[in-house]
Amino acid sequence: MPYELTHAERLRYKRSQDAAYHAGEEAVTSLQAALSLAGLTLPSLCNDGPVGCRGFVRLGGCSTAVANRLAEVIAAGAHALQGEHL
């Protein structure tokens, strides 16, 4: 016989799913803003909804030019962060 969730368990699950969805929305907005500062856009960047009670952001595809520029920006940022920790 399958286990049925109690009302309280269903509410906790729903709240965790809602929180995960909102975390995904915030992450997408934050990443879009950061990419915009670098003059980059990932056209298929989106919130893919909660997966296992965690937010899930789909980065999608992009041209090789955007991918190479993104790699440059990430590397520059990583080098800058390493310099802060010295």
Side-chain angles (χ1 to χ4, degrees):
M1 179 168 188
Y3 175 77
E4 289 192 30
L5 297 175
T6 66
H7 180 70
E9 289 171 325
R10 285 193 306 272
L11 283 177
R12 277 194 302 274
Y13 180 76
K14 169 96 171 79
R15 286 185 188 128
S16 68
Q17 291 290 307
D18 289 347
Y21 180 83
H22 290 296
E25 286 291 308
E26 290 174 8
V28 166
T29 300
S30 178
L31 185 54
Q32 284 173 329
L35 288 167
S36 179
L37 288 172
L40 295 168
T41 301
L42 293 178
S44 25
L45 175 65
C46 66
N47 180 7
D48 210 15
V51 174
C53 294
R54 293 186 179 185
F56 190 80
V57 176
R58 185 166 304 276
L59 300 176
C62 63
S63 69
T64 56
V66 170
N68 287 327
R69 178 69 180 128
L70 184 57
E72 291 172 9
V73 169
I74 291 171
H79 290 305
L81 285 175
Q82 288 172 352
E84 289 179 7
H85 293 100
L86 295 179

